[in-house]
Amino acid sequence: MARATWKGAITFGLVHIPVGMFVATRDKGVHFHLVTPDGQCRLRRQLVCPDTGKVYDFDQTARGIEIAPDQYVILDQDEIEHLRPEAGQTIDIEDFVDLEAIDPIYFSNTYWLAPREGGARAYQLLVEALEKGAEGRHRPVRAADEGAPRRRAVADGALALSVMHWSDEVSRGLPWSPRSRPRSTRASSTSPWT
């Protein structure tokens, strides 16, 4: 059986349903490695200072945030830990919205939520209630373990949880002007993206 990537509970009002979160998608793309021309050895990248040419080991590095060109604020591990959202064990249902109200560009990774010990009956009741009410099948929720917004929906009698991008993480507008493309690449009368 698959291993849960997170264990916690769905909560709303006085209801508390213990669940586990399981990966729903897997990347099946081809991933290349840099190798020697004869394919006998995988090449490794080095951490090199472009100014001095000095090679550094990973344990000789620090983490920094660029605040201006070539100006960094260095953070130690305690400061980085302090910046992370507080870990939690609950997924709180905050509101009800229609799926059509959420632009698909906001969706990131999707996970299955499965009931854990003692939660099967309440989980099934929640799934059935969500399946019955068409207007209530899609819920934005907040997980206490991360700051990213999430959407929960019912699919095939189970709960699916999608991590979503914040609005400032989504690029709006085309990276090119449709009018500037050569005439031969313009769509005829319809676009394949509509």
Side-chain angles (χ1 to χ4, degrees), residues 165-191:
H165 296 288
W166 289 104
S167 60
D168 63 350
E169 296 175 322
V170 174
S171 174
R172 287 296 178 184
L174 299 173
W176 73 92
S177 171
R179 290 178 182 28
S180 67
R181 290 184 289 163
R183 187 175 298 272
S184 63
T185 62
R186 289 188 187 156
S188 57
S189 62
T190 61
S191 170

Side-chain angles (χ1 to χ4, degrees), residues 55-134:
V55 177
Y56 289 87
D57 289 329
F58 187 77
D59 60 352
Q60 295 174 303
T61 63
R63 292 188 183 188
I65 298 173
E66 189 172 26
I67 57 171
D70 296 324
Q71 291 183 348
Y72 300 90
V73 173
I74 305 299
L75 301 174
D76 63 29
Q77 192 58 36
D78 289 339
E79 292 170 318
I80 293 170
E81 290 297 324
H82 183 70
L83 292 174
R84 291 194 174 129
E86 202 172 303
Q89 297 296 314
T90 61
I91 297 172
D92 301 313
I93 297 175
E94 291 188 346
D95 201 356
F96 303 93
V97 297
D98 291 327
L99 179 61
E100 294 77 26
I102 303 172
D103 188 332
I105 199 168
Y106 287 98
F107 298 138
S108 181
N109 301 337
T110 300
Y111 300 89
W112 292 114
L113 295 177
R116 289 190 5 234
E117 187 177 333
R121 179 158 169 70
Y123 178 92
Q124 191 58 41
L125 288 171
L126 177 60
V127 168
E128 289 172 10
L130 293 175
E131 286 178 330
K132 285 181 184 173

